[in-house]
Amino acid sequence: MPLLNESLREAARRSGLCWLATVDAKGQPNVSPKEVWAVFDDQHVVVANIASPVSARNIAQQPQVCLSFVDVFVQKGFKLKGSAHEVLAADSAFAFWAAPLLAMVGQCFVIHSVLVIRVTSVAPIVAPSYRFYPDETTEASQIASAMRAYKVHPAPQEKP
């Protein structure tokens, strides 16, 4: 079974942001949000370097990373650990790795490079309510709670 299976891919599609954790050569951590990212295949996640000089520099010094994402409404997601490398825009492999990211941004952003993560482990992220109150916690109840907290409402359904 692939590490990055279809349920993980679907959860990634529902998550707007991911958080990429890197470490510099002195062991100082850095966590930054990434808006343009995608599950590339069964082993790789790609992240657009639009404004990420610290992440790129840290990966060059220390390739171990952790990428996390959560669907804020159902309050479930995944933590992916692995090793990353940077593919610069001038590199011959850039078009290959950047393809899904370029499709997402069009002309809105310049992608300076792609941070390619080879995922070696996957762990679920689940809100504590699912564990501590399993009889009353459902995805529907979590969505309703999040909508109240964020003061949002479901989009009206289109009529056929």
Side-chain angles (χ1 to χ4, degrees), residues 18 20 22 34 36-41 44-53 55-60 63 65 67 83-105 109-118:
C18 72
L20 182 63
T22 61
K34 306 300 181 198
V36 180
W37 62 285
V39 176
F40 187 84
D41 61 21
H44 297 91
V45 172
V46 289
V47 178
N49 174 3
I50 295 168
S52 303
S55 296
R57 183 179 64 236
N58 285 355
I59 286 168
V65 299
L67 181 141
S83 179
H85 69 279
E86 182 180 23
V87 178
L88 300 172
D91 192 316
S92 62
F94 179 82
F96 175 75
W97 291 110
L101 306 173
L102 291 167
M104 294 168 72
V105 301
F109 296 107
V110 173
I111 298 177
H112 303 291
S113 64
V114 176
L115 307 175
V116 179
I117 302 166
R118 184 175 191 285

Side-chain angles (χ1 to χ4, degrees), residues 14 71-76 127 129-130 136-155:
R14 289 191 317 265
D71 177 326
V72 296
F73 292 102
V74 298
Q75 299 179 26
K76 290 181 180 179
S129 296
Y130 286 104
E136 59 249 31
T137 304
T138 64
E139 287 189 1
S141 71
Q142 292 296 85
I143 290 169
S145 175
M147 288 192 167
R148 284 190 305 275
Y150 299 132
K151 297 177 176 44
V152 296
H153 304 283

